[in-house]
């Protein structure tokens, strides 16, 4: 029930991101190596990674073998992948964050990512990836994106969350939470690969996600899709919602300036 059979398993959906991490970690494409001539082991063998991923249909009686992948459209002073030693110990936090962004290959522009509060970087990158960063059509619907954004902006007081009515558990909502949290764990891997440009405390999902609240808001939004309802009718939260949604959907098929969000949320304002 955790994963939706209509989608590829999360382990496969996020695999190419992991493969780009391997390329950076093992210096596979650092000069004199290249995409056409990737780095090899000391014994001269090609670098192959064994992955053990649990998902339906994989009986895990043997590992899956994957190759490192290069970064695309890399920009910078030398237009090359940095050595892992330089990435960890010599580059600035912003330079590390740029490599993080290149590994993800998400639609969101780097400058928008860099300007986000630390608590919203992983949320925004995961959603951007699910909308248009996995080389497929969007994996989540616009209303679901809006709910993920809105619940991140709630001032989550423990007592208030405890008093929320227990939501009707919907298999689709559980699938969405699984898809999102697998993305979060992937972001953790990417940030660690890049020398932690995002402080670990800000990667922790409780900073921007609560499963019960997500279920509660998604159930409400499916009945009454409203920005104000999602944001507790708080003007400040509504303002933050529009700002964060614009970043999350930027340069994607759900871009706020292009997509008819008024058909999704009845009181949506541009």
């Amino acid at each position: 029930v955790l994963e939706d059979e209509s989608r590829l398993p999360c382990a496969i959906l996020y695999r190419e991101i992991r493969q780009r991490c391997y390329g950076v970690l093992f210096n596979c494409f650092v000069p004199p190596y290249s995409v056409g001539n990737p780095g090899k082991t000391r014994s001269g063998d090609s670098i192959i990674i064994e992955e053990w991923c649990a998902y339906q249909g994989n009986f895990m009686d043997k590992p899956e073998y994957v190759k490192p992948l290069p970064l695309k459209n890399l920009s910078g002073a030398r237009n090359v992948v940095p050595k892992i030693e330089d990435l960890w110990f010599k580059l600035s936090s912003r330079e590390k964050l740029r490599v993080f962004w290149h590994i993800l290959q998400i639609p969101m522009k780097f400058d928008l990512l860099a300007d986000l509060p630390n608590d919203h970087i992983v949320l925004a990158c995961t959603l951007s990836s699910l909308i248009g960063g996995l080389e497929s059509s969007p994996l989540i619907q616009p209303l679901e994106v809006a709910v993920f954004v809105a619940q991140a902006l709630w001032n989550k007081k423990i007592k208030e969350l405890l008093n929320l009515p227990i939501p009707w558990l919907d298999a689709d909502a559980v699938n969405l939470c699984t898809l999102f949290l697998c993305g979060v764990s992937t972001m953790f891997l990417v940030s660690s690969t890049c020398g932690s440009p995002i402080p670990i405390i800000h990667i922790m999902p409780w900073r921007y996600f609560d499963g019960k609240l997500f279920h509660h808001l998604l159930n409400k939004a499916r009945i009454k899709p409203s920005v104000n309802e999602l944001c507790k009718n708080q003007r400040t939260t509504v303002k933050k919602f529009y700002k964060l949604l614009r970043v999350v959907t930027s340069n994607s098929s759900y871009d706020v300036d292009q997509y008819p969000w008024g058909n999704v949320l009845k009181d949506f304002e541009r």
Side-chain angles (χ1 to χ4, degrees):
V1 72
L2 290 179
E3 293 195 303
D4 186 343
E5 291 183 5
S6 67
R7 300 188 184 100
L8 285 172
C10 293
I12 296 177
L13 283 172
Y14 293 107
R15 174 165 282 164
E16 287 195 3
I17 296 178
R18 297 196 303 274
Q19 287 177 271
R20 289 191 286 273
C21 285
Y22 303 147
V24 172
L25 279 169
F26 296 110
N27 288 330
C28 291
F29 307 105
V30 174
Y33 303 116
S34 64
V35 175
N37 178 37
K40 300 182 183 299
T41 65
R42 290 181 179 179
S43 59
D45 298 323
S46 297
I47 294 175
I48 304 292
I49 292 86
E50 294 184 0
E51 285 196 337
W52 296 86
C53 300
Y55 56 86
Q56 186 171 359
N58 181 16
F59 299 104
M60 298 183 68
D61 51 355
K62 60 181 180 180
E64 296 174 274
Y65 298 97
V66 299
K67 294 182 178 181
L69 289 178
L71 306 187
K72 299 177 183 177
N73 304 318
L74 193 66
S75 60
R78 295 183 298 164
N79 197 35
V80 295
V81 181
K83 290 182 180 179
I84 192 65
E85 298 90 337
D86 293 342
L87 178 57
W88 285 357
F89 303 116
K90 293 184 179 180
L91 298 191
S92 67
S93 293
R94 187 178 179 87
E95 289 171 324
K96 292 177 180 180
L97 191 64
R98 185 176 287 278
V99 178
F100 171 90
W101 175 71
H102 276 296
I103 290 175
L104 295 181
Q105 294 184 10
I106 52 178
M108 187 194 311
K109 298 296 185 183
F110 174 72
D111 287 342
L112 291 176
L113 165 62
D115 288 341
L116 283 169
N118 280 335
D119 274 352
H120 292 161
I121 291 177
V122 169
L123 170 95
C125 289
T126 302
L127 293 178
S128 182
S129 183
L130 292 173
I131 294 170
L134 298 174
E135 298 186 3
S136 63
S137 57
L139 294 171
I140 53 178
Q141 298 301 311
L143 183 64
E144 296 159 357
V145 174
V147 173
F148 273 117
V149 170
Q151 62 82 38
L153 298 171
W154 272 49
N155 184 14
K156 302 178 184 65
K157 296 179 180 178
I158 294 177
K159 187 173 181 180
E160 184 179 12
L161 292 176
L162 287 173
N163 290 334
L164 280 178
I166 296 175
W168 172 61
L169 284 180
D170 178 79
D172 186 50
V174 174
N175 300 152
L176 289 167
C177 291
T178 302
L179 189 63
F180 177 78
L181 289 173
C182 285
V184 169
S185 63
T186 302
M187 299 300 150
F188 199 167
L189 169 66
V190 180
S191 183
S192 298
T193 298
C194 297
S196 299
I198 309 167
I200 291 177
I201 186 61
H202 296 289
I203 299 176
M204 298 297 104
W206 57 81
R207 307 282 293 199
Y208 46 82
F209 179 73
D210 182 87
K212 182 180 180 182
L213 177 59
F214 176 79
H215 273 71
H216 174 75
L217 292 180
L218 184 61
N219 289 343
K220 284 185 64 176
R222 284 172 171 169
I223 298 170
K224 187 178 180 181
S226 160
V227 173
N228 284 295
E229 289 289 331
L230 285 175
C231 298
K232 297 200 295 186
N233 294 300
Q234 295 178 348
R235 184 176 298 179
T236 302
T237 306
V238 169
K239 186 176 180 180
K240 291 179 180 178
F241 171 84
Y242 282 116
K243 183 177 181 180
L244 184 54
L245 184 70
R246 179 174 293 277
V247 173
V248 165
T249 61
S250 64
N251 203 33
S252 76
S253 56
Y254 295 160
D255 193 301
V256 166
D257 292 327
Q258 304 293 330
Y259 191 82
W261 276 93
N263 296 338
V264 179
L265 299 163
K266 64 178 185 178
D267 55 351
F268 190 88
E269 298 177 0
R270 293 196 182 279

PDB file of all heavy atoms in Angstrom, residues 29-57:
ATOM      1  N   PHE A  29      34.135  11.621 -13.738  1.00  0.00           N
ATOM      2  CA  PHE A  29      34.150  12.491 -14.910  1.00  0.00           C
ATOM      3  C   PHE A  29      35.016  13.732 -14.699  1.00  0.00           C
ATOM      4  O   PHE A  29      34.844  14.743 -15.365  1.00  0.00           O
ATOM      5  CB  PHE A  29      32.708  12.877 -15.266  1.00  0.00           C
ATOM      6  CG  PHE A  29      31.816  11.678 -15.421  1.00  0.00           C
ATOM      7  CD1 PHE A  29      30.900  11.339 -14.441  1.00  0.00           C
ATOM      8  CD2 PHE A  29      31.937  10.851 -16.528  1.00  0.00           C
ATOM      9  CE1 PHE A  29      30.094  10.218 -14.568  1.00  0.00           C
ATOM     10  CE2 PHE A  29      31.139   9.721 -16.665  1.00  0.00           C
ATOM     11  CZ  PHE A  29      30.214   9.400 -15.686  1.00  0.00           C
ATOM     12  N   VAL A  30      35.938  13.634 -13.749  1.00  0.00           N
ATOM     13  CA  VAL A  30      36.903  14.705 -13.507  1.00  0.00           C
ATOM     14  C   VAL A  30      38.046  14.559 -14.504  1.00  0.00           C
ATOM     15  O   VAL A  30      38.570  13.458 -14.679  1.00  0.00           O
ATOM     16  CB  VAL A  30      37.437  14.628 -12.057  1.00  0.00           C
ATOM     17  CG1 VAL A  30      38.551  15.639 -11.840  1.00  0.00           C
ATOM     18  CG2 VAL A  30      36.305  14.857 -11.063  1.00  0.00           C
ATOM     19  N   PRO A  31      38.453  15.641 -15.204  1.00  0.00           N
ATOM     20  CA  PRO A  31      39.572  15.531 -16.149  1.00  0.00           C
ATOM     21  C   PRO A  31      40.789  14.864 -15.508  1.00  0.00           C
ATOM     22  O   PRO A  31      41.051  15.106 -14.326  1.00  0.00           O
ATOM     23  CB  PRO A  31      39.864  16.995 -16.506  1.00  0.00           C
ATOM     24  CG  PRO A  31      38.555  17.695 -16.294  1.00  0.00           C
ATOM     25  CD  PRO A  31      37.916  16.994 -15.128  1.00  0.00           C
ATOM     26  N   PRO A  32      41.487  13.987 -16.234  1.00  0.00           N
ATOM     27  CA  PRO A  32      41.381  13.746 -17.680  1.00  0.00           C
ATOM     28  C   PRO A  32      40.250  12.817 -18.092  1.00  0.00           C
ATOM     29  O   PRO A  32      40.129  12.475 -19.270  1.00  0.00           O
ATOM     30  CB  PRO A  32      42.734  13.103 -17.999  1.00  0.00           C
ATOM     31  CG  PRO A  32      43.056  12.329 -16.761  1.00  0.00           C
ATOM     32  CD  PRO A  32      42.578  13.198 -15.625  1.00  0.00           C
ATOM     33  N   TYR A  33      39.416  12.397 -17.140  1.00  0.00           N
ATOM     34  CA  TYR A  33      38.294  11.532 -17.499  1.00  0.00           C
ATOM     35  C   TYR A  33      37.144  12.367 -18.051  1.00  0.00           C
ATOM     36  O   TYR A  33      37.056  13.573 -17.833  1.00  0.00           O
ATOM     37  CB  TYR A  33      37.841  10.726 -16.282  1.00  0.00           C
ATOM     38  CG  TYR A  33      38.949   9.905 -15.675  1.00  0.00           C
ATOM     39  CD1 TYR A  33      39.399  10.160 -14.386  1.00  0.00           C
ATOM     40  CD2 TYR A  33      39.561   8.892 -16.403  1.00  0.00           C
ATOM     41  CE1 TYR A  33      40.427   9.417 -13.826  1.00  0.00           C
ATOM     42  CE2 TYR A  33      40.591   8.140 -15.856  1.00  0.00           C
ATOM     43  CZ  TYR A  33      41.022   8.408 -14.570  1.00  0.00           C
ATOM     44  OH  TYR A  33      42.042   7.673 -14.025  1.00  0.00           O
ATOM     45  N   SER A  34      36.246  11.711 -18.766  1.00  0.00           N
ATOM     46  CA  SER A  34      35.131  12.412 -19.400  1.00  0.00           C
ATOM     47  C   SER A  34      33.968  11.450 -19.552  1.00  0.00           C
ATOM     48  O   SER A  34      34.065  10.272 -19.188  1.00  0.00           O
ATOM     49  CB  SER A  34      35.554  12.942 -20.775  1.00  0.00           C
ATOM     50  OG  SER A  34      35.855  11.849 -21.642  1.00  0.00           O
ATOM     51  N   VAL A  35      32.878  11.958 -20.126  1.00  0.00           N
ATOM     52  CA  VAL A  35      31.713  11.100 -20.354  1.00  0.00           C
ATOM     53  C   VAL A  35      32.089   9.927 -21.248  1.00  0.00           C
ATOM     54  O   VAL A  35      31.668   8.795 -21.033  1.00  0.00           O
ATOM     55  CB  VAL A  35      30.562  11.912 -20.992  1.00  0.00           C
ATOM     56  CG1 VAL A  35      29.392  10.997 -21.336  1.00  0.00           C
ATOM     57  CG2 VAL A  35      30.115  13.023 -20.047  1.00  0.00           C
ATOM     58  N   GLY A  36      32.911  10.200 -22.257  1.00  0.00           N
ATOM     59  CA  GLY A  36      33.329   9.135 -23.172  1.00  0.00           C
ATOM     60  C   GLY A  36      34.442   8.268 -22.622  1.00  0.00           C
ATOM     61  O   GLY A  36      34.704   7.180 -23.138  1.00  0.00           O
ATOM     62  N   ASN A  37      35.098   8.758 -21.588  1.00  0.00           N
ATOM     63  CA  ASN A  37      36.217   8.019 -20.992  1.00  0.00           C
ATOM     64  C   ASN A  37      36.142   8.145 -19.473  1.00  0.00           C
ATOM     65  O   ASN A  37      36.947   8.834 -18.850  1.00  0.00           O
ATOM     66  CB  ASN A  37      37.550   8.577 -21.517  1.00  0.00           C
ATOM     67  CG  ASN A  37      38.746   7.871 -20.889  1.00  0.00           C
ATOM     68  OD1 ASN A  37      38.715   6.661 -20.657  1.00  0.00           O
ATOM     69  ND2 ASN A  37      39.798   8.638 -20.600  1.00  0.00           N
ATOM     70  N   PRO A  38      35.152   7.500 -18.861  1.00  0.00           N
ATOM     71  CA  PRO A  38      34.964   7.655 -17.413  1.00  0.00           C
ATOM     72  C   PRO A  38      36.091   7.029 -16.607  1.00  0.00           C
ATOM     73  O   PRO A  38      36.806   6.146 -17.087  1.00  0.00           O
ATOM     74  CB  PRO A  38      33.635   6.929 -17.159  1.00  0.00           C
ATOM     75  CG  PRO A  38      33.512   5.950 -18.279  1.00  0.00           C
ATOM     76  CD  PRO A  38      34.156   6.598 -19.462  1.00  0.00           C
ATOM     77  N   GLY A  39      36.236   7.522 -15.377  1.00  0.00           N
ATOM     78  CA  GLY A  39      37.266   6.995 -14.493  1.00  0.00           C
ATOM     79  C   GLY A  39      37.051   5.526 -14.178  1.00  0.00           C
ATOM     80  O   GLY A  39      35.940   5.007 -14.263  1.00  0.00           O
ATOM     81  N   LYS A  40      38.132   4.867 -13.816  1.00  0.00           N
ATOM     82  CA  LYS A  40      38.076   3.437 -13.512  1.00  0.00           C
ATOM     83  C   LYS A  40      38.672   3.171 -12.136  1.00  0.00           C
ATOM     84  O   LYS A  40      39.217   4.069 -11.495  1.00  0.00           O
ATOM     85  CB  LYS A  40      38.837   2.645 -14.583  1.00  0.00           C
ATOM     86  CG  LYS A  40      38.290   2.822 -15.996  1.00  0.00           C
ATOM     87  CD  LYS A  40      39.041   1.975 -17.004  1.00  0.00           C
ATOM     88  CE  LYS A  40      38.534   2.212 -18.427  1.00  0.00           C
ATOM     89  NZ  LYS A  40      37.117   1.864 -18.591  1.00  0.00           N
ATOM     90  N   THR A  41      38.552   1.947 -11.693  1.00  0.00           N
ATOM     91  CA  THR A  41      39.143   1.557 -10.421  1.00  0.00           C
ATOM     92  C   THR A  41      40.657   1.473 -10.576  1.00  0.00           C
ATOM     93  O   THR A  41      41.191   1.532 -11.691  1.00  0.00           O
ATOM     94  CB  THR A  41      38.609   0.189  -9.966  1.00  0.00           C
ATOM     95  OG1 THR A  41      39.049  -0.814 -10.896  1.00  0.00           O
ATOM     96  CG2 THR A  41      37.087   0.190  -9.916  1.00  0.00           C
ATOM     97  N   ARG A  42      41.358   1.312  -9.464  1.00  0.00           N
ATOM     98  CA  ARG A  42      42.819   1.215  -9.525  1.00  0.00           C
ATOM     99  C   ARG A  42      43.281   0.024 -10.350  1.00  0.00           C
ATOM    100  O   ARG A  42      44.372   0.034 -10.918  1.00  0.00           O
ATOM    101  CB  ARG A  42      43.383   1.120  -8.109  1.00  0.00           C
ATOM    102  CG  ARG A  42      43.255   2.417  -7.318  1.00  0.00           C
ATOM    103  CD  ARG A  42      43.854   2.273  -5.934  1.00  0.00           C
ATOM    104  NE  ARG A  42      43.748   3.524  -5.177  1.00  0.00           N
ATOM    105  CZ  ARG A  42      44.175   3.672  -3.930  1.00  0.00           C
ATOM    106  NH1 ARG A  42      44.738   2.648  -3.292  1.00  0.00           N
ATOM    107  NH2 ARG A  42      44.039   4.837  -3.313  1.00  0.00           N
ATOM    108  N   SER A  43      42.443  -0.994 -10.416  1.00  0.00           N
ATOM    109  CA  SER A  43      42.806  -2.182 -11.200  1.00  0.00           C
ATOM    110  C   SER A  43      42.402  -2.047 -12.664  1.00  0.00           C
ATOM    111  O   SER A  43      42.603  -2.971 -13.455  1.00  0.00           O
ATOM    112  CB  SER A  43      42.155  -3.429 -10.594  1.00  0.00           C
ATOM    113  OG  SER A  43      40.742  -3.291 -10.578  1.00  0.00           O
ATOM    114  N   GLY A  44      41.820  -0.890 -13.020  1.00  0.00           N
ATOM    115  CA  GLY A  44      41.465  -0.651 -14.414  1.00  0.00           C
ATOM    116  C   GLY A  44      40.069  -1.096 -14.803  1.00  0.00           C
ATOM    117  O   GLY A  44      39.706  -1.047 -15.980  1.00  0.00           O
ATOM    118  N   ASP A  45      39.281  -1.519 -13.835  1.00  0.00           N
ATOM    119  CA  ASP A  45      37.915  -1.960 -14.134  1.00  0.00           C
ATOM    120  C   ASP A  45      36.954  -0.772 -14.137  1.00  0.00           C
ATOM    121  O   ASP A  45      37.183   0.239 -13.463  1.00  0.00           O
ATOM    122  CB  ASP A  45      37.441  -2.975 -13.088  1.00  0.00           C
ATOM    123  CG  ASP A  45      38.292  -4.239 -13.084  1.00  0.00           C
ATOM    124  OD1 ASP A  45      38.710  -4.654 -14.179  1.00  0.00           O
ATOM    125  OD2 ASP A  45      38.537  -4.786 -11.986  1.00  0.00           O
ATOM    126  N   SER A  46      35.869  -0.906 -14.885  1.00  0.00           N
ATOM    127  CA  SER A  46      34.828   0.120 -14.867  1.00  0.00           C
ATOM    128  C   SER A  46      34.192   0.176 -13.483  1.00  0.00           C
ATOM    129  O   SER A  46      34.069  -0.844 -12.798  1.00  0.00           O
ATOM    130  CB  SER A  46      33.752  -0.198 -15.913  1.00  0.00           C
ATOM    131  OG  SER A  46      34.295  -0.166 -17.216  1.00  0.00           O
ATOM    132  N   ILE A  47      33.804   1.373 -13.079  1.00  0.00           N
ATOM    133  CA  ILE A  47      33.174   1.537 -11.764  1.00  0.00           C
ATOM    134  C   ILE A  47      31.699   1.154 -11.865  1.00  0.00           C
ATOM    135  O   ILE A  47      30.934   1.753 -12.622  1.00  0.00           O
ATOM    136  CB  ILE A  47      33.330   2.981 -11.265  1.00  0.00           C
ATOM    137  CG1 ILE A  47      34.809   3.279 -10.997  1.00  0.00           C
ATOM    138  CG2 ILE A  47      32.499   3.213  -9.999  1.00  0.00           C
ATOM    139  CD1 ILE A  47      35.106   4.706 -10.616  1.00  0.00           C
ATOM    140  N   ILE A  48      31.331   0.138 -11.131  1.00  0.00           N
ATOM    141  CA  ILE A  48      29.958  -0.356 -11.091  1.00  0.00           C
ATOM    142  C   ILE A  48      29.514  -0.385  -9.631  1.00  0.00           C
ATOM    143  O   ILE A  48      30.261  -0.835  -8.759  1.00  0.00           O
ATOM    144  CB  ILE A  48      29.834  -1.770 -11.697  1.00  0.00           C
ATOM    145  CG1 ILE A  48      30.375  -1.794 -13.138  1.00  0.00           C
ATOM    146  CG2 ILE A  48      28.386  -2.242 -11.651  1.00  0.00           C
ATOM    147  CD1 ILE A  48      29.550  -1.009 -14.126  1.00  0.00           C
ATOM    148  N   ILE A  49      28.313   0.086  -9.378  1.00  0.00           N
ATOM    149  CA  ILE A  49      27.807   0.132  -8.002  1.00  0.00           C
ATOM    150  C   ILE A  49      26.728  -0.929  -7.828  1.00  0.00           C
ATOM    151  O   ILE A  49      25.847  -1.090  -8.683  1.00  0.00           O
ATOM    152  CB  ILE A  49      27.230   1.527  -7.667  1.00  0.00           C
ATOM    153  CG1 ILE A  49      28.346   2.578  -7.623  1.00  0.00           C
ATOM    154  CG2 ILE A  49      26.525   1.519  -6.320  1.00  0.00           C
ATOM    155  CD1 ILE A  49      28.678   3.178  -8.937  1.00  0.00           C
ATOM    156  N   GLU A  50      26.816  -1.660  -6.727  1.00  0.00           N
ATOM    157  CA  GLU A  50      25.773  -2.622  -6.375  1.00  0.00           C
ATOM    158  C   GLU A  50      24.703  -1.913  -5.550  1.00  0.00           C
ATOM    159  O   GLU A  50      25.003  -1.288  -4.541  1.00  0.00           O
ATOM    160  CB  GLU A  50      26.351  -3.775  -5.547  1.00  0.00           C
ATOM    161  CG  GLU A  50      27.326  -4.659  -6.289  1.00  0.00           C
ATOM    162  CD  GLU A  50      27.789  -5.833  -5.429  1.00  0.00           C
ATOM    163  OE1 GLU A  50      27.336  -5.936  -4.265  1.00  0.00           O
ATOM    164  OE2 GLU A  50      28.603  -6.636  -5.912  1.00  0.00           O
ATOM    165  N   GLU A  51      23.470  -1.996  -5.995  1.00  0.00           N
ATOM    166  CA  GLU A  51      22.357  -1.420  -5.241  1.00  0.00           C
ATOM    167  C   GLU A  51      21.419  -2.532  -4.775  1.00  0.00           C
ATOM    168  O   GLU A  51      21.084  -3.438  -5.539  1.00  0.00           O
ATOM    169  CB  GLU A  51      21.570  -0.420  -6.096  1.00  0.00           C
ATOM    170  CG  GLU A  51      22.258   0.905  -6.306  1.00  0.00           C
ATOM    171  CD  GLU A  51      21.306   1.985  -6.808  1.00  0.00           C
ATOM    172  OE1 GLU A  51      20.259   1.648  -7.407  1.00  0.00           O
ATOM    173  OE2 GLU A  51      21.606   3.168  -6.605  1.00  0.00           O
ATOM    174  N   TRP A  52      20.999  -2.417  -3.524  1.00  0.00           N
ATOM    175  CA  TRP A  52      19.993  -3.324  -2.971  1.00  0.00           C
ATOM    176  C   TRP A  52      18.770  -2.471  -2.629  1.00  0.00           C
ATOM    177  O   TRP A  52      18.765  -1.747  -1.641  1.00  0.00           O
ATOM    178  CB  TRP A  52      20.522  -4.019  -1.717  1.00  0.00           C
ATOM    179  CG  TRP A  52      21.688  -4.925  -1.965  1.00  0.00           C
ATOM    180  CD1 TRP A  52      23.006  -4.586  -2.005  1.00  0.00           C
ATOM    181  CD2 TRP A  52      21.635  -6.334  -2.219  1.00  0.00           C
ATOM    182  NE1 TRP A  52      23.786  -5.686  -2.260  1.00  0.00           N
ATOM    183  CE2 TRP A  52      22.969  -6.783  -2.393  1.00  0.00           C
ATOM    184  CE3 TRP A  52      20.596  -7.271  -2.314  1.00  0.00           C
ATOM    185  CZ2 TRP A  52      23.290  -8.109  -2.653  1.00  0.00           C
ATOM    186  CZ3 TRP A  52      20.916  -8.599  -2.568  1.00  0.00           C
ATOM    187  CH2 TRP A  52      22.244  -9.010  -2.736  1.00  0.00           C
ATOM    188  N   CYS A  53      17.768  -2.523  -3.473  1.00  0.00           N
ATOM    189  CA  CYS A  53      16.584  -1.680  -3.295  1.00  0.00           C
ATOM    190  C   CYS A  53      15.342  -2.551  -3.159  1.00  0.00           C
ATOM    191  O   CYS A  53      15.070  -3.394  -4.022  1.00  0.00           O
ATOM    192  CB  CYS A  53      16.417  -0.735  -4.486  1.00  0.00           C
ATOM    193  SG  CYS A  53      17.819   0.379  -4.744  1.00  0.00           S
ATOM    194  N   ALA A  54      14.610  -2.332  -2.092  1.00  0.00           N
ATOM    195  CA  ALA A  54      13.394  -3.111  -1.855  1.00  0.00           C
ATOM    196  C   ALA A  54      12.211  -2.470  -2.566  1.00  0.00           C
ATOM    197  O   ALA A  54      11.899  -1.300  -2.338  1.00  0.00           O
ATOM    198  CB  ALA A  54      13.125  -3.198  -0.355  1.00  0.00           C
ATOM    199  N   TYR A  55      11.582  -3.213  -3.444  1.00  0.00           N
ATOM    200  CA  TYR A  55      10.345  -2.764  -4.084  1.00  0.00           C
ATOM    201  C   TYR A  55       9.640  -3.979  -4.667  1.00  0.00           C
ATOM    202  O   TYR A  55      10.233  -5.053  -4.822  1.00  0.00           O
ATOM    203  CB  TYR A  55      10.617  -1.710  -5.166  1.00  0.00           C
ATOM    204  CG  TYR A  55      11.585  -2.117  -6.257  1.00  0.00           C
ATOM    205  CD1 TYR A  55      11.155  -2.814  -7.386  1.00  0.00           C
ATOM    206  CD2 TYR A  55      12.935  -1.788  -6.170  1.00  0.00           C
ATOM    207  CE1 TYR A  55      12.040  -3.173  -8.389  1.00  0.00           C
ATOM    208  CE2 TYR A  55      13.829  -2.140  -7.161  1.00  0.00           C
ATOM    209  CZ  TYR A  55      13.373  -2.830  -8.273  1.00  0.00           C
ATOM    210  OH  TYR A  55      14.258  -3.193  -9.263  1.00  0.00           O
ATOM    211  N   GLN A  56       8.375  -3.798  -4.975  1.00  0.00           N
ATOM    212  CA  GLN A  56       7.575  -4.915  -5.452  1.00  0.00           C
ATOM    213  C   GLN A  56       8.162  -5.503  -6.732  1.00  0.00           C
ATOM    214  O   GLN A  56       8.480  -4.780  -7.672  1.00  0.00           O
ATOM    215  CB  GLN A  56       6.132  -4.467  -5.707  1.00  0.00           C
ATOM    216  CG  GLN A  56       5.194  -5.614  -6.064  1.00  0.00           C
ATOM    217  CD  GLN A  56       3.743  -5.181  -6.100  1.00  0.00           C
ATOM    218  OE1 GLN A  56       3.429  -4.041  -5.837  1.00  0.00           O
ATOM    219  NE2 GLN A  56       2.853  -6.094  -6.415  1.00  0.00           N
ATOM    220  N   GLY A  57       8.312  -6.797  -6.745  1.00  0.00           N
ATOM    221  CA  GLY A  57       8.866  -7.474  -7.913  1.00  0.00           C
ATOM    222  C   GLY A  57      10.357  -7.722  -7.820  1.00  0.00           C
ATOM    223  O   GLY A  57      10.908  -8.491  -8.605  1.00  0.00           O
TER     224      GLY A  57
END
